[in-house]
Each structure stands twice: as C-alpha cells, then as structure tokens.
C-alpha cells in the first residue's frame, strides 16, 4: 500500500475557485476509485495546499485517474505552479 501526498500552491486571487474545484476533484476521485482523499493547507502559508490519499493499491493507476480528475475539475487553472506527488510506504 502507498500513501500519496500531492502538494501545490494556489494563486491567491483564485482561492475560492480552487476550493470548489478541489471539492469536485475529491468527489470525483471517491466516485471513481472508492478512496476518500483529504484536503489540507499549510498552517503558516494558506496558499500551499495538499491532498492526501491513503492506502492506494496501485499508485500508478491511481495517479493516472487523479490527473484526469484534476483536468476535469478545473483545478489546474487555479494553481501557481505545478502539482507535486510524493509516494510514501510503511517502514518495514
């Protein structure tokens, strides 16, 4: 199992739009995969957001699904830069 952490910066003037798009993204991911992601922001920098997806069976397949959902949600146009995906697995 893999946990995915996806972080990015949201353009300040598009924060409200980004919040709606992120909600649509999380909803689409849940409907498509059955996994419920969570949305966070840095405590000291509200423009840095992170999605967390835990216990992903097939990370490559999930990331492909996620990329499709990001495009469909309209979140990309709200970003200041790119999304970054980090993969973590439990320590043995």
């Amino acid at each position: 199992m893999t946990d995915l952490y996806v972080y990015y910066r949201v353009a300040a003037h598009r924060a409200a739009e980004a919040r709606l798009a992120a909600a649509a993204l999380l909803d689409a991911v849940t409907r498509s995969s059955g996994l419920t992601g969570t949305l966070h922001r840095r405590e000291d920098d509200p423009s840095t957001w992170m999605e967390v997806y835990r216990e992903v069976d097939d990370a490559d397949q999930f990331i492909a699904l996620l990329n499709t959902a990001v495009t469909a949600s309209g979140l990309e146009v709200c970003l200041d830069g790119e999304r970054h995906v980090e993969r973590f697995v439990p320590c043995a």
Side-chain angles (χ1 to χ4, degrees):
M1 294 287 194
T2 303
D3 292 340
L4 300 177
Y5 298 86
V6 184
Y7 62 94
Y8 45 90
R9 294 182 70 84
V10 172
H13 67 283
R14 297 194 98 154
E17 182 183 357
R19 183 68 179 103
L20 293 173
L25 166 65
L26 293 173
D27 186 53
V29 167
T30 299
R31 283 194 322 272
S32 298
S33 71
L35 288 174
T36 300
T38 56
L39 183 64
H40 308 262
R41 66 168 178 81
R42 279 186 63 132
E43 183 176 28
D44 62 341
D45 178 7
S47 69
T48 301
W49 292 13
M50 181 171 63
E51 299 156 27
V52 178
Y53 303 95
R54 297 197 181 274
E55 299 184 356
V56 176
D57 286 328
D58 183 335
D60 291 332
Q61 181 181 14
F62 184 82
I63 290 170
L65 176 149
L66 184 59
N67 289 339
T68 299
V70 167
T71 300
S73 73
L75 181 61
E76 287 176 314
V77 300
C78 300
L79 304 184
D80 180 14
E82 295 186 21
R83 292 167 49 90
H84 305 277
V85 178
E86 300 286 341
R87 301 175 186 214
F88 285 79
V89 296
C91 293

